[in-house]
Amino acid sequence: MSAIITGFETHDVRFPTSLTGDGTDAMNTDCDYSSAYVTLFTSTDLVGHGMTFTIGRGNDIVCAAIKELAKRLVGKDTEELFANMGATWDYLNADPQLRWIGPEKGVIHIALGAVDNALWDMYARSRRKPLWKLIVDMTPEEIVNATAFRYITDALTRSEALAMLQAKAATKAEREARVREVGYPAYVTSAGWLGYSDEKVARLTREAVAAGFNHFKMKVGADRDNDLRRGKIIRSIIDDPQYLPPSASPRHSNSPELQGKNAGPTGAVLMIDANQVWDVPQAIEYVKSLEEIKPWFIEEPTAPDDILGHAAIRKALKPHGIGVATGEHAHNRIVFKQLLQAEAIDVCQIDSCRLAGVSEVLSVLLMAAKFGVPVCPHAGGVGLCEYVIHLSLIDYIVVSGTMERNVLEFVDHLHEHFLYPCSINKNGRYNVPNDADEGYSIEMHKKSIEEYEWPNGSYWVSAKAQ
């Protein structure tokens, strides 16, 4: 049944993660994980929830931008919007006065991510399917119509995208059954924050190994000697068979999912992340000096907009067996297009709400598949893990057709605030979201909003009183 969008509400929700050092890295030393949250209402009981992620101050500015963009949906018929989500994305992105202060980047673009994600959540709820299943069940033609193509047709045309999707369509049911059975590969960042003591790093690493993970990431870039010491602590645990869970055995480094990843004797893989802290020459020399801890890749070695800088770093590090990954702060599909065209990255890291929602994510998944680059989404934060499992499932089942090289970030923070939290199985893999009512899995508990809304939520009022 059709419904009319009648209104919306936003919430500036902030969690005090800076108190425990969660999220700390060489660039971001004071992080309060925050959600700029929106709910769309209709003339029926149908709603849609969406959010974008920040690390504290400025979240209110994003909420203000969300309000301006969400106004464009009021009065619209939901079924007309759902019929061509690519055209709907273009419409949301087309307010000339709002676009002027982007265009397609910054606050306006991530606010659009929250609104577009809320609309996709509503679409999935209207069909009583999780978001990933909604898209997996679409025809190739419907997926192409749902994708943002403006400015990328020199790298990927609609007809090329359609042919790619049609080539995978006949076998997608087999892949869906497979991932439901085994789960989607994950890696863990929870042990690697810069603000943690050595003892905490060691304890969390042991816990992660025991939980079945075999891909691990640590933050680097503030102090080389400190990074080497922490890296050796992590390596000493993940490379030692005594810490493996009883049911696990060492994995062979020549297996398809580990080839080229600098895997250690147990098959464990270590990645490093600098969060943009270096200039290009610094990045090259610094990462070379960490070769001893055998990283698979360096993530965000320099400014996220520096396409040629990433290409230079990749070229310099290739002889050392270290790859380059980026995408967490890539503004839009155009930046990803150039990273791929310039052969600047070994790993493509989409972000579920830095990109402006599902329609733009689809364009990047398709481009990465065409260029043969694995997609390993950025997660962590608040709500991002809930979001990105849907995107990785879409990539595996209908776009790339593979999850051998791919791993999806997992951080064990703040999941309890969501009605449909993500979960990890005993083998360190994401479980497949399977509730007919969860949509895009981003609906937050009302109690959490009441407690952590800035500045008048009960937690923040109490904190100020103290």
Side-chain angles (χ1 to χ4, degrees):
M1 183 177 71
S2 192
I4 303 300
I5 295 178
T6 56
F8 57 87
E9 65 181 26
T10 63
H11 298 280
D12 176 352
V13 185
R14 308 187 193 184
F15 300 96
T17 51
S18 59
L19 297 178
T20 53
D22 298 343
T24 49
D25 56 59
M27 185 66 80
N28 307 295
T29 57
D30 183 21
C31 307
D32 283 329
Y33 281 172
S34 301
S35 167
Y37 189 81
V38 60
T39 300
L40 302 174
F41 299 103
T42 69
S43 53
T44 70
D45 292 337
L46 182 63
V47 297
H49 304 282
M51 58 151 279
T52 196
F53 170 66
T54 80
I55 59 168
R57 286 185 298 279
N59 206 45
D60 48 350
I61 300 171
V62 182
C63 285
I66 288 171
K67 291 176 185 177
E68 294 304 312
L69 288 162
K71 287 177 185 176
R72 291 179 65 76
L73 292 176
V74 175
K76 298 294 183 183
D77 183 289
T78 56
E79 289 303 316
E80 291 178 6
L81 295 171
F82 299 157
N84 190 322
M85 288 292 279
T88 296
W89 188 89
D90 288 338
Y91 167 75
L92 281 169
N93 196 36
D95 184 301
Q97 295 186 10
L98 293 177
R99 191 178 185 281
W100 184 263
I101 59 173
E104 297 199 43
K105 53 183 171 287
V107 169
I108 288 294
H109 208 57
I110 63 173
L112 176 56
V115 176
D116 187 67
N117 286 341
L119 193 60
W120 275 100
D121 178 70
M122 180 184 286
Y123 186 4
R125 287 166 178 265
S126 76
R127 303 305 193 258
R128 299 206 70 241
K129 295 179 180 181
L131 184 277
W132 71 268
K133 182 64 171 165
L134 172 77
I135 294 177
V136 163
D137 286 348
M138 287 180 174
T139 65
E141 292 80 6
E142 288 171 330
I143 296 174
V144 168
N145 283 338
T147 301
F149 277 98
R150 192 177 196 180
Y151 303 139
I152 67 167
T153 54
D154 55 324
L156 179 75
T157 65
R158 285 176 173 269
S159 59
E160 285 177 314
L162 181 59
M164 289 167 58
L165 293 165
Q166 287 172 334
K168 294 289 189 295
T171 52
K172 67 182 183 181
E174 297 167 19
R175 288 188 293 279
E176 179 179 333
R178 173 67 177 160
V179 74
R180 284 182 182 276
E181 177 188 356
V182 302
Y184 195 90
Y187 75 84
V188 65
T189 305
S190 298
W193 303 118
L194 277 184
Y196 288 174
S197 66
D198 288 357
E199 291 75 19
K200 188 170 184 178
V201 168
R203 174 177 60 80
L204 292 175
T205 302
R206 288 192 296 269
E207 291 174 1
V209 174
F213 291 98
N214 80 315
H215 285 64
F216 308 83
K217 191 170 79 180
M218 61 174 277
K219 302 292 184 173
V220 299
D223 179 272
R224 189 190 68 89
D225 292 340
N226 182 48
D227 292 341
L228 268 177
R229 187 189 72 256
R230 291 166 55 249
K232 288 177 181 178
I233 290 170
I234 294 173
R235 270 290 178 199
S236 71
I237 296 167
I238 66 177
D239 289 347
D240 191 333
Q242 72 168 307
Y243 295 109
L244 292 174
S247 59
S249 57
R251 308 184 194 192
H252 200 287
S253 60
N254 287 329
S255 61
E257 70 272 16
L258 295 178
Q259 283 183 9
K261 290 185 177 181
N262 276 334
T266 65
V269 176
L270 179 62
M271 301 95 87
I272 56 175
D273 183 0
N275 292 90
Q276 318 157 29
V277 76
W278 300 310
D279 284 359
V280 171
Q282 280 181 298
I284 293 167
E285 294 310 310
Y286 199 110
V287 177
K288 283 181 181 177
S289 75
L290 298 180
E291 188 174 357
E292 183 181 352
I293 60 173
K294 299 188 297 183
W296 169 24
F297 63 64
I298 174 63
E299 177 179 342
E300 285 202 309
T302 192
D305 305 337
D306 191 352
I307 313 301
L308 298 181
H310 279 85
I313 294 166
R314 181 176 185 244
K315 183 178 179 181
L317 294 180
K318 193 160 190 153
H320 299 268
I322 302 170
V324 170
T326 201
E328 173 181 346
H329 282 82
H331 288 303
N332 50 41
R333 67 208 175 282
I334 302 104
V335 173
F336 279 107
K337 177 188 75 171
Q338 294 176 77
L339 287 165
L340 293 164
Q341 288 174 325
E343 299 182 351
I345 53 174
D346 298 275
V347 173
C348 175
Q349 292 178 303
I350 57 169
D351 183 281
S352 55
C353 45
R354 173 78 59 182
L355 291 170
V358 175
S359 290
E360 189 171 36
V361 166
L362 288 172
S363 68
V364 178
L365 294 179
L366 286 159
M367 284 192 291
K370 178 185 173 179
F371 282 84
V373 174
V375 176
C376 300
H378 166 246
V382 55
L384 302 189
C385 294
E386 278 67 30
Y387 266 153
V388 292
I389 178 55
H390 292 266
L391 303 178
S392 286
L393 291 170
I394 294 163
D395 178 49
Y396 169 53
I397 297 169
V398 299
V399 181
S400 71
T402 180
M403 59 175 174
E404 284 186 334
R405 301 281 299 155
N406 307 45
V407 280
L408 170 53
E409 185 171 21
F410 176 75
V411 177
D412 192 16
H413 299 148
L414 306 174
H415 304 297
E416 67 274 14
H417 297 291
F418 295 91
L419 270 69
Y420 303 99
C422 67
S423 62
I424 298 290
N425 68 24
K426 65 180 182 179
N427 296 315
R429 300 167 79 101
Y430 274 86
N431 291 310
V432 172
N434 202 36
D435 194 300
D437 297 319
E438 70 182 285
Y440 205 174
S441 304
I442 211 67
E443 183 176 0
M444 199 176 283
H445 287 291
K446 287 183 172 60
K447 183 177 180 223
S448 294
I449 295 174
E450 291 167 359
E451 187 172 359
Y452 290 102
E453 185 156 19
W454 177 267
N456 297 317
S458 59
Y459 172 84
W460 295 110
V461 170
S462 172
K464 287 174 191 171
Q466 293 174 14

